[in-house]
Amino acid sequence: MSTKTEKIIAELKSLTLLEAAELVKEIEQTFDIDASLTSQTQAIVMPTETDNSNKNEVEEKTEFDIILEEVPAAKKIAILKVVRSITGLGLKEAKSLVESTPKIVKESTTKENSEEIKKQLEEAGAKVSIK
């Protein structure tokens, strides 16, 4: 520990309870934080320039949902077969899903898998979106 830190710690130890409360209040106002929200597992995080730059970055999405948007009546059977192969649903459940568009066909899948499923459904004649 540096001598500066040691001096600060020594000064803090000599404070009365009232002085310590005033110090906490001043630190909260100066650094725009709320010390009462912290717990044993949380630390007080002071805002820095790097914190602001991280807010501007957009995280790349890793999980996608495939949504069956529209099923033309003439292509219903072909789409139904593809939906059954993708989801593993029975005939009745798959038919219900196909008839109740827009409906999620597959949730939380990878980008590559979602693109492949979309391609299969579009080849069968469905309109599909990925979100």
Side-chain angles (χ1 to χ4, degrees):
M1 194 165 20
S2 70
T3 56
K4 185 176 182 180
T5 306
E6 289 174 359
K7 287 179 185 177
I8 292 171
I9 296 295
E11 285 290 320
L12 288 174
K13 288 180 181 178
S14 68
L15 294 178
T16 65
L17 198 53
L18 183 60
E19 291 170 329
E22 289 174 358
L23 176 63
V24 169
K25 197 179 291 185
E26 283 297 315
I27 289 172
E28 287 177 333
Q29 290 175 353
T30 303
F31 296 107
D32 192 29
I33 58 173
D34 186 0
S36 66
L37 295 177
T38 62
S39 70
Q40 292 176 349
T41 58
Q42 295 175 324
I44 298 174
V45 179
M46 295 174 33
T48 62
E49 290 180 29
T50 57
D51 290 341
N52 292 334
S53 66
N54 288 341
K55 291 177 186 175
N56 294 333
E57 293 178 12
V58 176
E59 291 184 24
E60 186 174 338
K61 192 171 179 180
T62 58
E63 293 184 342
F64 300 88
D65 296 338
I66 296 93
I67 302 169
L68 186 61
E69 297 288 343
E70 189 177 318
V71 177
K75 309 273 182 162
K76 186 174 173 182
I77 294 173
I79 295 168
L80 184 63
K81 288 179 182 178
V82 174
V83 168
R84 287 190 67 202
S85 70
I86 292 168
T87 62
L89 293 173
L91 182 60
K92 183 178 179 182
E93 293 85 4
K95 182 179 182 222
S96 175
L97 187 144
V98 168
E99 290 175 345
S100 61
T101 57
K103 198 75 165 182
I104 295 177
V105 176
K106 189 91 168 172
E107 291 181 318
S108 303
T109 186
T110 63
K111 185 174 184 175
E112 295 80 22
N113 193 24
S114 62
E115 291 294 332
E116 179 61 31
I117 292 170
K118 181 179 179 184
K119 181 181 172 189
Q120 290 174 2
L121 288 167
E122 286 178 340
E123 286 175 354
K127 289 189 180 178
V128 182
S129 66
I130 298 175
K131 294 191 180 186

